[in-house]
Amino acid sequence: MTDRSTRRSSRYNKNPQSRKSTSHWFRNSFIILIGLGAFFLFTYLGYLDYHVRTQFEGKRWAIPARVYGNPVELYAGYGISAEKFENLLEMLHYRKDSELAAEGTYFRNGGRISVKTRTFTFSDQPEPQPGVAMRVDFSEAGIASITDLTNEQSLAIVRMDPVQIGSFYPTIKEDRILIKLEEAPDMLIKGLLASEDRDFYDHFGISLRGILRAMVANIQAGDMVQGGSTITQQLVKNFYLTSERKLARKIKEALMALILEYRYSKNEILEAYLNEIYLGQDGASAVHGFGLASQFYFGTPLKDLSLEQLASLVALVRGPSEYNPRRFPERALQRRNLVLEEMVAQEYITPEEAAAAKARPLAVIANTHRSANRYPAFLDLVKRQLKQDYHEEDLTSEGLRIFTTLDTQIQDKLEETIKRKLPQLEKLSKAKALESAVVVTRRDSGEIAALAGGRDDSSAGFNRALDAVRPIGSLIKPVIYLTALQNPRRYTITTPVNDSAIFIKGDNGNDWSPKNYDHKEHGTIGLHTALAKSYNLATVRVGMDVGIGRVAKTLKDLGVNRQVDLYPSFLLGAAQLTPLEVTQMYQTFAGDGFLTPIKAIKAVVSASGERLQSYPYTVRQTVDPSATYILNTMLQEVMYSGTGSSAYSVFPQNYGLIGKTGTTNDAKDSWFAGFTGDYLSVVWVGRDDNKPAGLTGATGALPVWTAFMRQISRQPVSLTPPDNIKMVRVDPYSGLVAGSDCPYGKGYPYVTGSEPTAYSACGNPVIEQDRPWFEEFFPQSE
């Protein structure tokens, strides 16, 4: 028995030295593991420290560029109704307030609207324009008077802050208005501290006392009424981490909060929190920070919010979806009032102040999606023009403010007109799926006032105004006649031209024999009649005489840089251009021979207010102003008695309209380009599949142009002749000087020295096939 015990004992205690070695091995392994753990911990902390510092000290936020329309300038006589002005105020996110207690408020009483405008820094002013309290009285014609409410004096003109028409976002669609800590209202800070982190200035990123206090409050209330996370932890979660609920993430959050507190001051952390915290969703764009949230929910700068409004924003911190004041007003009201009670508990406000604030409604504005790109076709053009000077990252992260030329009221009228007229045209032509593109400019500056890229311009897609390259048909004819008129020794407005059949032999058997639209020949006619009636045969003869190359050069001088094929068919509009390029061409006609590049941008301003880029009005003479003046009088004849005459069914007879219709083969494309004294617009109507639309320029695009331009134009055309233009009374039958006894005489412009000198035998018409142009006041087709 003893031997057996001895053997058993010796089995487990063979070598005391071995037991000692094993103990040393475990101890050393433990030390190594602790060392490795410490190494990895410090390495991880180093990584977190680098991550925290890199983002916190670098460019913290990608701020999208904000794009503004052209500001509306109000004055007595301005043609806007009270309803339209109220719509404008709603687009600007003004809120109703009968007391006008803050900027960005208004109150309507019948035909009178009182407004307190916002302080705004415009692109052409070095200092902010202060807000003004004013009363606007309306009549049937528009604004009757504007009165300053502070002194009851009349105001000559007031510029409203511009409508934000869109933004250019980074990949992560976040939006914010950055504020500095000193700009934040005191009651906002106190509301945050009372509701979210009472010990903020005492803890080091984590508050055990706050966690215990929140647990007790939640148990007593039977609900989640307090959170245990500090403001620093909330900033870490929003700024660096995801919202997943895992222990590892909470540990990481705590470590990063400690690092943040170690590296930065309390005020730096609080300022970052004010700009980073997520407070709502505006469509696809996330609303971050109290600066933007103030505008999003109340349409007012943060500095102008009342106590109850600030408490409402603080209430959103706990859950922007759960306490959304638009979707869950009762829930939001309860949470707001709880914030006010917590502020009373911390003695930040008195019970009386809290009671007064609780008695007021939420008063949030309607959500009109301030970040939505309302006019995607126009914004597409803006972005393309900006990319000539800026990188994509600059447009989506630097917080640029882009001031554009868009008139939102004209744009809205354009879209309404297209939606109304195209269904009418489809019934007329029995064509389906008609599309349209329109470009509208201010005649004097070339600024784009409106642009439609398609029938439904509310969503992004194929931008026909910029990218639809289509044959322009008879819109090319004024270019041919302008080329001819620049040689006054050879061509004048009444030069006889031959509208008869012509055969042009081409290379490789590509012979060409054009026809008139009416399949008739009209014999010898005046140059002005050939354009007014849009006769193809006479136009081709003139074009072949002056030379296709010279016509192409004139097209380039008018501002069109696209390469064109120099075939004879070019003379009848085989050249393919976009509506934007056609607009540039006719803008030079409207500019009396001076090329003004059309533009969509006025200026680009940095987030700090520095003017980075301006797009000034530029102009240079590229074609003869005298020839352009004569051409424009011929284009007036197009409208009075030619293919555009139907426009005068709605315009006054003395409006002096200038324009040209265009139709392509098989009526696939319907065009009209024309201008009044204040606006120019180009309209295209057709089908995307290039099938016949069954519409000429006169029956398709012109009705759209007329219906739209009658709404926006206030000025008739007044052409000013250059000094070397001489008016001569001419017999339209013969093209010779009309004597005083000739009843058919009409004044025509000539470059001095090119006018006719021989007198006409009045009453003996030379051209039997044609009647005087002024006897033909009825719509024509091409």
Side-chain angles (χ1 to χ4, degrees):
M1 189 68 179
T2 302
D3 292 340
R4 185 180 298 133
S5 299
T6 301
R7 287 196 301 272
R8 186 183 298 118
S9 175
S10 62
R11 185 186 303 169
Y12 295 102
N13 300 280
K14 289 182 179 179
N15 190 348
Q17 187 65 35
S18 175
R19 290 200 308 272
K20 187 175 182 180
S21 298
T22 301
S23 175
H24 279 298
W25 182 85
F26 278 112
R27 184 177 62 186
N28 291 339
S29 298
F30 183 69
I31 293 172
I32 291 172
L33 287 174
I34 291 176
L36 288 173
F39 173 77
F40 284 117
L41 175 62
F42 282 108
T43 300
Y44 183 61
L45 289 174
Y47 162 75
L48 291 180
D49 179 65
Y50 174 79
H51 184 48
V52 167
R53 287 187 294 109
T54 300
Q55 188 160 345
F56 202 87
E57 295 173 5
K59 187 175 70 176
R60 300 180 191 175
W61 298 286
I63 310 297
R66 291 182 171 81
V67 187
Y68 297 93
N70 199 49
V72 173
E73 294 185 338
L74 307 177
Y75 53 87
Y78 181 66
I80 186 173
S81 65
E83 290 74 19
K84 290 292 185 182
F85 183 54
E86 187 171 19
N87 290 342
L88 173 64
L89 294 174
E90 290 173 353
M91 287 180 65
L92 288 166
H93 303 279
Y94 277 54
R95 60 185 177 87
K96 293 181 181 179
D97 181 0
S98 59
E99 299 178 357
L100 301 183
E103 292 184 354
T105 56
Y106 79 97
F107 177 73
R108 180 177 178 181
N109 183 12
R112 169 178 290 177
I113 298 180
S114 299
V115 185
K116 192 166 188 179
T117 64
R118 296 191 184 109
T119 299
F120 193 86
T121 304
F122 293 92
S123 62
D124 57 354
Q125 295 179 345
E127 299 296 330
Q129 174 183 286
V132 58
M134 63 181 182
R135 181 177 64 247
V136 185
D137 290 291
F138 294 85
S139 66
E140 291 184 1
I143 294 178
S145 64
I146 306 175
T147 305
D148 190 331
L149 290 176
T150 59
N151 54 25
E152 292 297 322
Q153 297 293 314
S154 294
L155 294 171
I157 189 167
V158 175
R159 185 192 285 190
M160 298 293 296
D161 45 311
V163 174
Q164 183 179 334
I165 60 174
S167 301
F168 296 138
Y169 288 97
T171 304
I172 300 175
K173 288 196 171 184
E174 295 182 357
D175 198 0
R176 54 178 55 79
I177 295 175
L178 294 182
I179 61 171
K180 295 181 180 179
L181 183 60
E182 56 267 25
E183 297 171 344
D186 183 57
M187 285 299 158
L188 173 66
I189 304 300
K190 289 178 177 177
L192 281 171
L193 296 179
S195 175
E196 298 300 320
D197 194 349
R198 298 177 187 177
D199 306 320
F200 175 69
Y201 283 99
D202 297 320
H203 62 64
F204 293 96
I206 301 171
S207 175
L208 296 178
R209 184 167 56 181
I211 294 172
L212 293 174
R213 183 171 57 243
M215 290 176 60
V216 172
N218 293 336
I219 292 172
Q220 291 176 343
D223 195 6
M224 283 290 294
V225 296
Q226 285 191 21
S229 295
T230 65
I231 282 178
T232 311
Q233 286 176 283
Q234 291 181 40
L235 174 61
V236 167
K237 183 177 68 175
N238 278 267
F239 206 36
Y240 300 100
L241 304 175
T242 64
S243 57
E244 61 179 349
R245 296 176 177 272
K246 291 184 178 180
L247 178 61
R249 193 202 64 79
K250 292 296 293 183
I251 293 173
K252 185 177 182 180
E253 175 188 299
L255 292 174
M256 294 180 79
L258 292 170
I259 293 171
L260 205 59
E261 290 275 353
Y262 175 75
R263 289 289 186 184
Y264 304 102
S265 70
K266 289 287 186 180
N267 285 346
E268 288 177 305
I269 293 170
L270 186 56
E271 181 176 278
Y273 178 86
L274 293 174
N275 288 299
E276 173 59 25
I277 190 69
Y278 171 68
L279 294 172
Q281 195 73 26
D282 185 12
S285 172
V287 176
H288 284 260
F290 288 95
L292 181 60
S294 174
Q295 296 282 3
F296 179 61
Y297 291 106
F298 300 108
T300 303
L302 188 63
K303 64 181 179 64
D304 294 329
L305 292 189
S306 59
L307 172 60
E308 71 275 5
Q309 290 172 326
L310 292 170
S312 293
L313 294 186
V314 173
L316 288 166
V317 172
R318 193 58 54 85
S321 298
E322 184 177 359
Y323 299 108
N324 186 327
R326 294 191 180 103
R327 295 184 60 193
F328 309 111
E330 293 184 4
R331 194 183 299 170
L333 193 65
Q334 292 174 358
R335 179 64 194 164
R336 181 200 72 176
N337 292 344
L338 180 59
V339 171
L340 291 169
E341 291 171 5
E342 290 173 335
M343 293 178 72
V344 171
Q346 295 299 304
E347 299 183 350
Y348 291 140
I349 59 175
T350 66
E352 292 74 19
E353 289 174 324
K358 288 180 181 180
R360 296 190 182 100
L362 289 172
V364 294
I365 62 173
N367 183 8
T368 51
H369 293 295
R370 69 173 44 251
S371 60
N373 290 337
R374 291 173 52 88
Y375 310 110
F378 178 79
L379 287 168
D380 182 20
L381 174 61
V382 169
K383 195 165 188 179
R384 295 189 197 193
Q385 292 189 352
L386 285 171
K387 283 185 175 180
Q388 298 175 18
D389 301 304
Y390 296 92
H391 298 295
E392 178 76 19
E393 183 182 356
D394 297 331
L395 299 180
T396 59
S397 66
E398 296 295 337
L400 301 178
R401 292 193 300 157
I402 301 156
F403 294 89
T404 74
T405 61
L406 184 80
D407 186 320
T408 57
Q409 295 186 82
I410 292 179
Q411 178 71 33
D412 290 342
K413 288 177 180 178
L414 174 60
E415 294 180 8
E416 291 168 3
T417 302
I418 292 173
K419 289 178 181 178
R420 184 178 77 253
K421 295 298 292 185
L422 287 192
Q424 296 175 9
L425 295 178
E426 287 174 336
K427 292 179 181 179
L428 174 68
S429 65
K430 297 182 179 179
K432 301 299 181 183
L434 287 181
E435 274 295 349
S436 183
V438 184
V439 182
V440 186
T441 64
R442 298 179 180 88
R443 182 191 170 192
D444 60 348
S445 64
E447 294 178 345
I448 296 178
L451 183 145
R455 183 171 186 159
D456 180 10
D457 211 38
S458 62
S459 58
F462 181 54
N463 194 338
R464 295 164 187 83
L466 309 185
D467 298 324
V469 183
R470 310 287 292 223
I472 64 172
S474 294
L475 294 188
I476 194 66
K477 289 176 180 176
V479 183
I480 299 168
Y481 289 93
L482 177 62
T483 306
L485 289 168
Q486 290 187 92
N487 182 7
R489 293 184 179 181
R490 178 72 181 86
Y491 284 98
T492 70
I493 190 171
T494 54
T495 296
V497 293
N498 187 9
D499 186 65
S500 61
I502 182 173
F503 178 83
I504 299 174
K505 190 171 182 60
D507 297 334
N508 301 322
N510 294 323
D511 301 334
W512 188 49
S513 181
K515 305 291 182 183
N516 278 328
Y517 184 82
D518 60 5
H519 297 283
K520 297 179 181 179
E521 300 176 27
H522 304 91
T524 303
I525 54 177
L527 192 77
H528 61 95
T529 303
L531 179 58
K533 305 298 185 182
S534 200
Y535 291 151
N536 292 340
L537 300 178
T539 300
V540 171
R541 287 183 178 276
V542 173
M544 294 300 291
D545 181 55
V546 300
I548 298 173
R550 289 193 177 184
V551 175
K553 181 182 181 302
T554 301
L555 183 64
K556 187 172 183 178
D557 291 339
L558 293 169
V560 178
N561 295 317
R562 184 182 294 272
Q563 293 294 320
V564 294
D565 295 327
L566 300 183
Y567 299 120
S569 58
F570 164 71
L571 300 173
L572 292 184
Q576 299 188 38
L577 302 177
T578 66
L580 189 70
E581 290 170 325
V582 173
T583 304
Q584 181 63 77
M585 173 171 54
Y586 276 79
Q587 184 69 44
T588 308
F589 295 156
D592 302 318
F594 289 83
L595 173 62
T596 303
I598 57 178
K599 63 179 182 178
I601 308 169
K602 286 188 171 182
V604 178
V605 178
S606 71
S608 62
E610 178 187 359
R611 191 184 181 102
L612 301 177
Q613 187 88 15
S614 61
Y615 296 81
Y617 173 73
T618 60
V619 61
R620 60 187 177 91
Q621 181 184 333
T622 56
V623 293
D624 184 2
S626 301
T628 307
Y629 174 82
I630 296 171
L631 174 72
N632 282 336
T633 63
M634 294 167 66
L635 291 174
Q636 284 182 321
E637 188 173 333
V638 170
M639 302 304 293
Y640 276 124
S641 64
T643 58
S645 61
S646 64
Y648 279 107
S649 63
V650 296
F651 275 94
Q653 288 293 316
N654 62 351
Y655 219 74
L657 298 173
I658 293 176
K660 184 70 185 76
T661 55
T663 311
T664 59
N665 291 340
D666 300 322
K668 292 179 179 178
D669 300 276
S670 171
W671 289 91
F672 186 82
F675 56 92
T676 61
D678 41 9
Y679 293 102
L680 177 150
S681 63
V682 172
V683 178
W684 169 84
V685 175
R687 294 178 51 156
D688 287 340
D689 59 10
N690 205 33
K691 291 182 179 179
L695 297 166
T696 66
T699 61
L702 178 57
V704 176
W705 185 93
T706 303
F708 167 67
M709 291 290 279
R710 192 67 187 100
Q711 297 178 68
I712 69 168
S713 179
R714 299 291 179 268
Q715 297 178 18
V717 176
S718 178
L719 295 176
T720 302
D723 293 338
N724 64 337
I725 289 293
K726 182 177 182 179
M727 296 298 296
V728 178
R729 192 165 177 270
V730 172
D731 177 359
Y733 288 112
S734 64
L736 302 178
V737 179
S740 59
D741 59 342
C742 184
Y744 302 115
K746 178 185 182 296
Y748 287 99
Y750 297 86
V751 175
T752 301
S754 68
E755 70 276 11
T757 56
Y759 279 80
S760 167
C762 184
N764 297 313
V766 176
I767 310 166
E768 296 181 354
Q769 298 94 329
D770 194 38
R771 290 175 291 172
W773 68 269
F774 50 79
E775 293 182 5
E776 303 182 21
F777 286 91
F778 55 85
Q780 300 286 324
S781 297
E782 292 181 76

